[in-house]
Amino acid sequence: MVAKKQTFEASMTALEEIVRKLEQGDASLEEAIALYQQGMTLSKQCHEQLQVAEQQLVAVVNEDGTTQPFATDGEN
């Protein structure tokens, strides 16, 4: 069973292990389906965690604690 909200690194390690097992081709059909489902869940969690991290990186925190989008020199 896949743990909910584990760290990004732990999710990636588990996903890599699933990929390795599937690439070996030794799993039964039922096991391969279960591994695939776990992998898709982990992939979704990683994607969501990356989106959150991206949102945090593109926001600038002002002195009063409010945030605003980060703008480069070429943006208005």
Side-chain angles (χ1 to χ4, degrees), residues 5-43:
K5 294 297 179 187
Q6 55 187 349
T7 66
F8 178 80
E9 293 78 9
S11 294
M12 284 300 296
T13 299
L15 189 54
E16 289 168 356
E17 179 65 18
I18 288 170
V19 169
R20 186 188 62 72
K21 287 179 182 178
L22 289 172
E23 286 178 340
Q24 287 179 345
D26 297 335
S28 67
L29 177 61
E30 293 79 13
E31 184 181 4
I33 290 170
L35 288 169
Y36 179 81
Q37 290 173 329
Q38 290 174 359
M40 291 305 295
T41 299
L42 286 167
S43 176

Side-chain angles (χ1 to χ4, degrees), residues 31-64:
E31 184 181 4
I33 290 170
L35 288 169
Y36 179 81
Q37 290 173 329
Q38 290 174 359
M40 291 305 295
T41 299
L42 286 167
S43 176
K44 182 181 177 196
Q45 287 176 1
C46 288
H47 180 73
E48 289 170 354
Q49 289 171 317
L50 285 173
Q51 284 182 320
V52 169
E54 181 181 18
Q55 290 170 357
Q56 291 172 343
L57 289 175
V58 297
V60 176
V61 178
N62 297 318
E63 290 180 11
D64 63 358

Side-chain angles (χ1 to χ4, degrees), residues 71-76:
T72 60
D73 292 338
E75 297 177 358
N76 290 335

